[in-house]
Amino acid sequence: DTGTMHLAAAGGLPCVALFSARDEQGKWDPMGGPHHVIRKSVPCAGCMLVQCVERDRLCLRLIEVDEVVAAAEDLLRRVEAAA
């Protein structure tokens, strides 16, 4: 969830976006598509904490590397197929 992600999406580039559950779901998703947004459901979603001390960033720790790689590979396949 960065300004760079929003600039890429605005330029028509597909993004793999990783989000914590800190804020409401979908609020900061990249516009347009196709994009892969990865966000985990946790009981503390919407906490709005700047520092997650109690749960040690559980919502981010639940995101698996393999899941992110699979999302990136899927987007690359889609882009190549559209070319």
Side-chain angles (χ1 to χ4, degrees):
D1 177 18
T2 65
T4 307
M5 174 203 65
H6 292 292
L7 288 171
L13 298 173
C15 301
V16 175
L18 312 181
F19 284 89
S20 72
R22 172 182 185 271
D23 209 340
E24 67 182 78
Q25 187 170 352
K27 183 176 181 180
W28 301 108
D29 287 4
M31 300 296 284
H35 304 294
H36 275 283
V37 174
I38 301 175
R39 175 188 164 115
K40 298 299 179 178
S41 295
V42 291
C44 50
C47 67
M48 294 305 292
L49 292 173
V50 174
Q51 284 191 316
C52 178
V53 176
E54 187 176 319
R55 296 184 190 241
D56 190 29
R57 302 172 322 275
L58 176 64
C59 56
L60 292 173
R61 289 186 298 109
L62 290 173
I63 297 173
E64 299 282 336
V65 171
D66 292 343
E67 178 180 15
V68 177
V69 170
E73 289 174 341
D74 179 60
L75 280 181
L76 288 171
R77 278 191 296 275
R78 289 190 206 184
V79 169
E80 289 172 352

